[in-house]
Amino acid sequence: MEKDPFKEYLRESEPDKAHKGYAWSTAIGLQAVDGLKPSKYLIDTAIQNIEGKITMKEAQSLIDSYYEERPVHLSDDERTEEADKVSSRIAEILSETAFSFSPNEYISIHRKLFQGIYKHAGKIRDYNITKKEWVLDGATVMYGSASELRATLEYDFSQEKDFSYKGLSMDEIIHHLAVFISRLWQIHIFGEGNTRTTAVFFIKYLRTLGFSATNDIFAKNAWYFRNALVRANYTNLQKGIHETTEYLEAFLRNLLLNEKNELHNRNLHISGLLNEEKVDIENEKVDIQDTKVDIESVLSQKGSDFSVKTTVHIHRLFEKFGFDEVFGRSAVMELLQLKGSGASKLLSNLVQADIIEPVSGHGKGKYKFKM
């Protein structure tokens, strides 16, 4: 999208409008991974939903009726219809809280997104595939073998389900998440629609780990996300190219930690062009990392044994307020999207763990991080 039509809603003070705005923005942005662009009708319908004039189901019904009354003759129109319908379905799934971490859930998301669009919606492919990639200069990733797709999928899920994030630093968490999602995508169990399905599933999974993932990174950088997945699964020793999750990790750091790493598709191309710019980006990342050492050392010194979810919350609070700024319960509720009781419990736990301390002179119930 050249201009995000939902930008004003992403800044809304009303959580419901902001949540819907993020869902629609992400849904529409993800169409770019397959070169699709939704219609103005879809965007207008989405805005009606965000403003509370129509429900999500009514929005989908309007989109369906729009195309039933408008016979499609051109391939471009068919692709726009796909973009509109899939966008509305992604927005619906992202608005729901229900989720199960399982291969069946992953397959079910594909079926929900592409029912009536692809004949193979929700079906595992029974043929091998290759895809020429721009970022690989025309080469292809080695996707999963058709005869092993279900077994490979179930293995990856079982490995992730048994994995413990306990005691990991945020760098280690993000690296592991990058490895997991890149392997899941590399299986490519569907004939089409793998990236969009994987992205939607991943966002839902991140929420179960305590990440809100409610920003416009996917909307603005969907194509980068796909190219980063490609680079994480391509090796050519003859050309000195090795699979790497560094680009995917930069994307995830922006998504989950609100960092500002530059995400340029040209930097992912295997030709190695614009190396100087990549070096600058790496230097930028080092500076960002240096600012994070303080909170890591604090957590280490306190010897606190927090859950992954609480650790994520601590990092997000520190990202926002650092050691100097003062914050209270309402700020915690807004930033972490917690209810009042949840925010109070978190603050109480952090005070007891000697991570934050009450401060006077700023009103009742104010805190700051302890050095």
Side-chain angles (χ1 to χ4, degrees):
M1 292 179 293
E2 294 180 3
K3 183 179 179 181
D4 189 345
F6 310 118
K7 193 171 184 178
E8 63 179 282
Y9 299 108
L10 304 187
R11 298 175 178 174
E12 270 284 350
S13 57
E14 295 180 43
D16 186 53
K17 285 187 178 181
H19 183 69
K20 288 179 181 177
Y22 283 121
W24 279 106
S25 183
T26 298
I28 290 174
L30 281 174
Q31 305 314 306
V33 300
D34 284 304
L36 305 182
K37 186 176 181 180
S39 68
K40 184 179 183 301
Y41 183 81
L42 182 279
I43 293 172
D44 292 342
T45 303
I47 289 175
Q48 290 185 64
N49 171 249
I50 294 170
E51 293 182 341
K53 296 178 181 178
I54 58 175
T55 65
M56 185 66 73
K57 288 295 184 185
E58 288 171 335
Q60 290 185 329
S61 180
L62 285 173
I63 295 299
D64 289 341
S65 298
Y66 176 74
Y67 283 102
E68 285 173 5
E69 298 167 3
R70 183 173 179 269
V72 175
H73 299 293
L74 302 175
S75 59
D76 285 350
D77 290 336
E78 290 175 356
R79 297 295 275 169
T80 301
E81 179 179 358
E82 176 183 338
D84 285 1
K85 289 184 175 180
V86 176
S87 291
S88 67
R89 294 169 186 180
I90 289 177
E92 179 184 32
I93 292 174
L94 293 182
S95 298
E96 297 171 343
T97 56
F99 177 76
S100 171
F101 182 80
S102 68
N104 286 340
E105 178 82 2
Y106 185 59
I107 294 170
S108 173
I109 287 175
H110 187 271
R111 182 168 50 253
K112 290 176 182 177
L113 295 186
F114 301 108
Q115 191 77 47
I117 296 172
Y118 298 156
K119 291 181 179 179
H120 60 271
K123 296 179 180 179
I124 297 176
R125 62 180 168 86
D126 57 3
Y127 54 91
N128 290 326
I129 59 173
T130 59
K131 294 183 179 182
K132 291 183 178 180
E133 303 286 353
W134 167 83
V135 72
L136 302 181
D137 211 19
T140 183
V141 167
M142 295 297 291
Y143 297 111
S145 172
S147 62
E148 301 292 332
L149 293 178
R150 183 78 198 202
T152 306
L153 183 69
E154 290 179 350
Y155 175 78
D156 279 10
F157 269 88
S158 67
Q159 290 292 101
E160 177 65 15
K161 203 164 189 177
D162 292 340
F163 184 81
S164 174
Y165 288 88
K166 187 175 181 179
L168 297 185
S169 68
M170 190 55 61
D171 287 346
E172 291 169 328
I173 289 172
I174 286 180
H175 175 70
H176 177 81
L177 287 170
V179 171
F180 165 68
I181 201 61
S182 65
R183 287 177 177 170
L184 178 61
W185 176 86
Q186 184 268 337
I187 302 171
H188 243 61
I189 69 168
F190 309 111
E192 294 179 81
N194 288 279
T195 303
R196 283 175 282 178
T197 301
T198 301
V200 172
F201 179 87
F202 191 41
I203 292 171
K204 299 279 283 186
Y205 178 45
L206 287 171
R207 290 176 182 173
T208 70
L209 297 178
F211 295 103
S212 62
T214 52
N215 53 37
D216 55 359
I217 305 301
F218 269 106
K220 292 181 177 179
N221 302 283
W223 190 238
Y224 180 98
F225 173 66
R226 189 187 188 284
N227 284 333
L229 290 168
V230 170
R231 285 302 309 271
N233 288 285
Y234 181 74
T235 294
N236 188 321
L237 298 181
Q238 222 175 13
K239 295 183 178 180
I241 301 167
H242 302 270
E243 60 183 38
T244 175
T245 59
E246 64 172 305
Y247 304 109
L248 194 52
E249 288 179 46
F251 176 90
L252 292 179
R253 297 190 79 87
N254 285 11
L255 175 70
L256 305 178
L257 303 179
N258 293 317
E259 289 187 3
K260 304 297 180 183
N261 298 300
E262 295 287 344
L263 305 178
H264 295 303
N265 282 290
R266 60 181 180 271
N267 291 335
L268 279 69
H269 199 282
I270 61 171
S271 63
L273 296 174
L274 304 170
N275 280 328
E276 289 184 11
E277 185 168 342
K278 284 177 69 175
V279 170
D280 290 338
I281 293 171
E282 291 302 320
N283 289 337
E284 233 176 84
K285 288 170 68 176
V286 170
D287 291 338
I288 294 171
Q289 289 289 356
D290 288 344
T291 66
K292 293 181 177 300
V293 171
D294 289 335
I295 191 60
E296 291 287 1
S297 63
V298 167
L299 292 174
S300 176
Q301 289 168 13
K302 305 299 181 184
S304 301
D305 188 15
F306 292 116
S307 66
V308 173
K309 186 173 183 179
T310 301
T311 302
V312 170
H313 284 163
I314 293 171
H315 276 271
R316 293 196 68 197
L317 286 170
F318 187 76
E319 283 283 323
K320 178 74 173 178
F321 303 109
F323 284 119
D324 300 320
E325 290 192 42
V326 172
F327 54 92
R329 190 181 75 156
S330 59
V332 173
M333 290 170 62
E334 181 179 354
L335 180 64
L336 304 180
Q337 296 187 335
L338 296 174
K339 292 182 179 179
S341 58
S344 295
K345 183 177 180 180
L346 175 63
L347 288 168
S348 176
N349 288 342
L350 296 187
V351 170
Q352 290 179 27
D354 208 28
I355 301 296
I356 63 174
E357 61 182 345
V359 293
S360 58
H362 295 272
K364 186 178 179 182
K366 299 298 181 181
Y367 306 87
K368 70 173 184 178
F369 279 92
K370 292 187 71 172
M371 292 189 181

